[in-house]
Amino acid sequence: MTPRPDGRFAHSRSAAFLVCALALPGSAAWAQTPQGDSAAVTIQELRVGFEGKFKVGVWTPATVVLRGGSEAARGKLSAALPDGDESRSRFFAPGEVAVPAGGRVEAPLFLKFGKRDAPVEVRFEPAGAAGDAATRPLSVQFPCLAEGTAPHVPVPLQEGQELYLAVGGQFDLEPGANLNRPAGQPRAETAAVESPQALPTRWFGYEGVDAVVLFTSRVEAFRGGGPWMDALDEWIQLGGRLIVVAGKNGPELLQAGGPLARFSPGAVQPELAVMRRPNDLEAYAERAESLEIDPAGVPACFVSDVPGMIVVHDGNVPIVVRFARGFGEVVFVAVDLDQPPFSQWRGNAALLLRLLGRNPEAPAQSAEPAAGGKLTHSGLTDLSGQMRSALDQFSGVTVVPFFGIGLLLVVYAALVGPLDYLVLSRYIRRPGLTWITFPSVVAAACLGVWLLVRYTKGDELRVNRVDLVDIDLATRTARGTTWIGVFSPEVASYDVAVRPVVPGRTAGGTHTLLSWQGMPGEALGGLDRSSTPGYSPAGEYSFSPELDSLRGVPIAIWSSKGLQARWTGAVDPGIDVSFAVEHSGSPRATVASRLPFALHECLLTFPHQSDDPTASPPLWVVEIPTLAPGQTVAIDSRTPRRELRERLTGQRLEYDARRNQYHAFINEYDDLGLEPRPILQAMMFHEAGGGQRFTKLDHRYQGYLDLSRKLALSRGILLGYADAPATRIELNGREAPAREGDRQLTCYRFLFPVKQLMTGE
């Protein structure tokens, strides 16, 4: 990773300017092996995303199509492309890929694009002794093009663009996905997959998808299940959103034992119900256009004993139901929206907008650079970028401001130029001494620069981190997100691994997904920015086949690298919560800790009861200064509480005695701040705190971290900070050093069910 003039490598650019040395990195080129030999395997095609639609900066599924030659072959399949820092990264297919003679093989891969215009190199390395054509490595480059007849990769979507996926039918989601979209906001994209068997078989293949809609009109498409269903379910439980359009085939698919039974909102009855009155559905869609239904009604999948939120009903028949599944959400629709009369209804787009959970807001404005020479990224558009900037601040590492660099260059130019001439020619009158003074000044300047850089940059490896651990008490599952900033005092390559160390992990262990951390937007180094012309990275690093570690990550001297890890696993939560809310809004709760460590600055958030299921209920928060090991806290109507938005924004009323009236004030969010804690809080409750209107930044790149909407689904959240990290970071096989001044923040969130009590309970 060669230093370049942007915020990511600001630790090294000062030295580069002062030394005034131009490094010429070696070119990372590869040869494209001819595919004309009849015995050799040929690489025919690279398919990426869903109908060629995928986002930059997130994991996306890919398929490599191989054609066998006259002889069968086995080998390693990989693909290489630039990461967000334009360092070349390589991804491997798990195990060896077998290609039969004359056969056609579709091999799956998972890729992560760092730039929207970078090519992809696909390589097949046959096993066996090298030398003959059949065992010679084969490499093909696929350019990134918006369109073309030659084999290529489509241009990725922006990381903040929405992508919705329809499965099982050809129903067009586009009208609903883009209805009432504000001017200046990029249009949402949609894709259709007829057969669910073509869906990703790993949960992170959906990382760039905002919502998945299952249309069950073609019931044969869902019979038999498959690994795609487990991957989809895991993605939902980790924060995804699924809309199940059940309709007339709902009983077969969603009844106990059916292929989609896990996505049922309750007890599915074998007999269909009938929907005759569309008034509630029309009101939910907020459209004046009437839905014309035959007097005999339309068939609807009937569900009883619904624990979720019934937002639309026709008598005793639930039509639209929202319910939580882990950290995600499932929306059940009892009628076939892709069939008449719904497919012909002019209000269908508005209904889809509500079902997709779209919350259109104005796009974030680019922030101006911070003053005072602080290391930051101008043009921030997303909270994830602000978090990366915060972890780019290292203790003992000082950025020399450009003004200081310019001043030193002026002094240096004056010493070797006019001052040298004046002193030697006019005062000493021995101009020949310039053969001594000139190299002496140059040598002294180089030594001074070296000493200055050593003083400002230090000689220690530095690692900053933020750990966020979410635990769902209902399913006893955990998901973790770790942001890492690594500062290297030397030119080095690092093998990186991240191991969760949270207490209570079960024997099943955890699975970690480790990657680079992107910078959203078009700022310098941003994911939406074009690749640097003529830039050639020094070295290549690779992902392990399991994608849980990185090998040989290059970091230049006095430079930094942003990384991110996501992990999942089953745990013993260590926290027991019993929580109920009276109809008046008063809580009845106990919180008991079995954790071996204390949680500090705890917030207990919960929803007020609401009689309108389509409206967001008021959200309350109770502050608990410390929750010690073995401590039990009781909460009731006498416990002080306040509205969650007031707590997040500092909203308050202040009395103006001169005007004899009260004024409302909030604490302005610092969108250029570099302290991790307020950034993390904004990411955890972005929508509850007012969204983009409060933070002035978007939260799409890692929007799954925002659990605000889960509070409306009869869920509560206990949040607290711990002293010890929740992960072990390994660099070259050893635990990364924890030095004084390194940034470390660990936060735990526990998601628990809230019982809504009836009057008199």
Side-chain angles (χ1 to χ4, degrees):
M1 183 169 56
T2 304
R4 296 187 293 113
D6 59 38
R8 288 173 291 141
F9 306 115
H11 299 295
S12 59
R13 60 186 174 186
S14 302
F17 272 104
L18 288 175
V19 174
C20 299
L22 184 62
L24 297 175
S27 173
W30 58 86
Q32 179 167 319
T33 303
Q35 301 196 55
D37 194 285
S38 62
V41 172
T42 58
I43 300 173
Q44 294 188 325
E45 185 182 359
L46 173 62
R47 299 198 296 264
V48 184
F50 305 93
E51 290 191 321
K53 297 176 182 179
F54 59 98
K55 296 181 185 179
V56 67
V58 298
W59 290 100
T60 189
T63 301
V64 178
V65 180
L66 303 170
R67 173 70 68 178
S70 59
E71 302 176 7
R74 302 178 63 89
K76 293 182 179 180
L77 179 67
S78 65
L81 62 161
D83 67 6
D85 296 334
E86 298 190 53
S87 292
R88 188 171 160 84
S89 57
R90 183 168 294 277
F91 305 82
F92 289 90
E96 285 190 335
V97 176
V99 185
R104 185 175 184 272
V105 173
E106 296 188 358
L109 275 173
F110 290 95
L111 306 177
K112 189 173 181 180
F113 284 71
K115 294 296 174 185
R116 300 183 64 209
D117 58 353
V120 182
E121 179 230 350
V122 177
R123 178 182 296 172
F124 181 75
E125 301 178 51
D132 59 339
T135 57
R136 190 180 305 139
L138 174 68
S139 181
V140 177
Q141 183 175 355
F142 293 88
C144 211
L145 303 173
E147 57 184 14
T149 56
H152 67 281
V153 175
V155 176
L157 308 177
Q158 298 177 10
E159 90 291 329
Q161 245 177 306
E162 297 159 58
L163 176 59
Y164 299 103
L165 183 61
V167 180
Q170 289 292 333
F171 188 78
D172 189 7
L173 301 177
E174 195 276 336
N178 287 299
L179 183 67
N180 299 332
R181 183 165 296 275
Q185 196 176 79
R187 292 181 62 82
E189 293 289 344
T190 62
V193 177
E194 289 193 32
S195 172
Q197 304 300 327
L199 293 174
T201 56
R202 303 291 297 273
W203 68 267
F204 46 85
Y206 296 95
E207 193 175 40
V209 177
D210 292 272
V212 175
V213 185
L214 298 184
F215 292 99
T216 63
S217 301
R218 295 175 53 250
V219 65
E220 64 277 2
F222 297 96
R223 290 177 178 144
W228 67 269
M229 192 174 298
D230 293 332
L232 177 63
D233 190 21
E234 188 173 3
W235 170 72
I236 296 166
Q237 296 196 50
L238 292 176
R241 183 181 182 89
L242 175 71
I243 297 96
V244 179
V245 182
K248 64 180 183 299
N249 292 321
E252 177 181 347
L253 297 175
L254 293 168
Q255 270 191 309
L260 301 180
R262 66 183 79 185
F263 304 131
S264 168
V268 177
Q269 303 303 310
E271 300 296 329
L272 291 172
V274 176
M275 176 183 175
R276 292 187 173 89
R277 294 179 296 274
N279 309 64
D280 210 14
L281 191 65
E282 293 170 351
Y284 177 67
E286 299 179 347
R287 301 298 291 184
E289 294 88 353
S290 297
L291 174 60
E292 301 296 335
I293 291 182
D294 188 273
V298 294
C301 179
F302 184 49
V303 181
S304 61
D305 302 326
V306 177
M309 178 187 298
I310 301 175
V311 294
V312 177
H313 63 87
D314 180 13
N316 67 335
V317 180
I319 303 300
V320 178
V321 181
R322 292 177 57 198
F323 62 98
R325 185 163 179 82
F327 299 102
E329 180 179 345
V330 178
V331 181
F332 167 85
V333 183
V335 293
D336 288 311
L337 298 181
D338 56 337
Q339 302 295 319
F342 304 99
S343 60
Q344 301 166 351
W345 179 37
R346 292 181 60 187
N348 205 344
L351 176 61
L352 280 172
L353 182 145
R354 294 294 303 271
L355 296 176
L356 293 173
R358 224 191 77 206
N359 185 25
E361 291 185 354
Q365 299 297 319
S366 296
E368 294 298 324
K374 292 172 64 177
L375 174 63
T376 185
H377 297 267
S378 62
L380 286 176
T381 60
D382 195 281
L383 288 170
S384 296
Q386 190 181 16
M387 177 64 80
R388 173 166 171 173
S389 296
L391 294 182
D392 230 5
Q393 312 300 305
F394 298 93
S395 177
V397 178
T398 305
V399 178
V400 180
F402 279 111
F403 173 79
I405 296 173
L407 181 61
L408 289 175
L409 287 174
V410 170
V411 172
Y412 173 73
L415 286 174
V416 299
L419 289 178
D420 182 78
Y421 171 78
L422 288 174
V423 171
L424 296 182
S425 298
R426 293 197 174 187
Y427 296 103
I428 301 180
R429 299 185 182 280
R430 297 184 63 181
L433 291 178
T434 191
W435 292 101
I436 298 176
T437 58
F438 180 79
S440 299
V441 171
V442 172
C446 291
L447 178 62
V449 168
W450 184 81
L451 292 174
L452 176 64
V453 172
R454 293 283 293 182
Y455 175 76
T456 57
K457 307 302 179 187
D459 57 359
E460 293 181 321
L461 178 69
R462 292 282 184 174
V463 178
N464 293 332
R465 82 173 84 188
V466 172
D467 288 320
L468 175 60
V469 180
D470 292 322
I471 300 177
D472 179 25
L473 300 189
T475 61
R476 303 172 72 87
T477 58
R479 69 175 190 184
T481 304
T482 299
W483 297 266
I484 305 168
V486 180
F487 173 82
S488 178
E490 59 184 350
V491 177
S493 296
Y494 298 92
D495 295 342
V496 187
V498 177
R499 318 290 185 197
V501 293
V502 295
R505 284 186 296 156
T506 62
T510 57
H511 178 263
T512 302
L513 189 67
L514 180 61
S515 180
W516 46 268
Q517 171 73 7
M519 172 66 71
E522 296 184 358
L524 289 173
L527 293 170
D528 294 335
R529 196 177 181 89
S530 300
S531 302
T532 304
Y535 175 69
S536 180
E540 175 183 288
Y541 69 95
S542 62
F543 288 75
S544 66
E546 298 78 19
L547 303 178
D548 60 352
S549 62
L550 302 174
R551 301 168 184 170
V553 179
I555 306 181
I557 186 171
W558 300 315
S559 293
S560 61
K561 183 75 173 179
L563 304 172
Q564 177 205 341
R566 296 185 64 180
W567 58 268
T568 61
V571 297
D572 175 6
I575 291 286
D576 300 311
V577 180
S578 174
F579 207 105
V581 177
E582 299 174 356
H583 194 269
S584 63
S586 299
R588 296 186 203 168
T590 57
V591 180
S593 173
R594 295 179 285 105
L595 294 170
F597 52 83
L599 294 176
H600 308 287
E601 301 180 50
C602 300
L603 299 178
L604 185 65
T605 64
F606 59 94
H608 189 289
Q609 287 203 27
S610 175
D611 295 326
D612 183 2
T614 64
S616 298
L619 305 176
W620 298 97
V621 60
V622 172
E623 299 186 36
I624 305 174
T626 301
L627 186 60
Q631 181 181 0
T632 298
V633 177
I635 298 169
D636 55 28
S637 59
R638 297 167 296 179
T639 305
R641 66 182 188 270
R642 61 190 298 195
E643 286 196 20
L644 177 59
R645 179 166 294 190
E646 292 181 0
R647 173 61 175 76
L648 296 174
T649 64
Q651 182 177 338
R652 63 199 182 277
L653 288 176
E654 293 186 1
Y655 179 67
D656 186 345
R658 187 165 59 90
R659 298 185 177 181
N660 192 28
Q661 61 184 8
Y662 285 91
H663 295 279
F665 293 89
I666 64 171
N667 297 331
E668 184 178 0
Y669 180 80
D670 187 1
D671 57 321
L672 289 175
L674 297 174
E675 288 299 323
R677 181 169 293 198
I679 301 172
L680 182 61
Q681 178 176 280
M683 297 176 80
M684 293 189 292
F685 296 106
H686 187 247
E687 192 170 312
Q692 197 179 65
R693 290 182 295 274
F694 173 61
T695 63
K696 301 181 287 293
L697 295 173
D698 213 335
H699 188 24
R700 294 188 184 275
Y701 188 44
Q702 293 178 305
Y704 66 90
L705 297 172
D706 185 5
L707 295 183
S708 300
R709 294 190 182 185
K710 304 305 174 289
L711 294 168
L713 298 176
S714 297
R715 291 294 186 272
I717 298 172
L718 171 65
L719 176 151
Y721 296 92
D723 295 327
T727 54
R728 170 189 169 99
I729 300 174
E730 297 178 358
L731 300 177
N732 294 333
R734 297 182 179 180
E735 184 173 5
R739 305 187 190 279
E740 183 178 357
D742 286 349
R743 295 191 166 192
Q744 175 190 301
L745 179 65
T746 303
C747 180
Y748 286 82
R749 284 191 300 181
F750 300 88
L751 188 68
F752 56 87
V754 175
K755 182 180 180 181
Q756 306 287 348
L757 298 177
M758 303 298 292
T759 303
E761 282 192 70

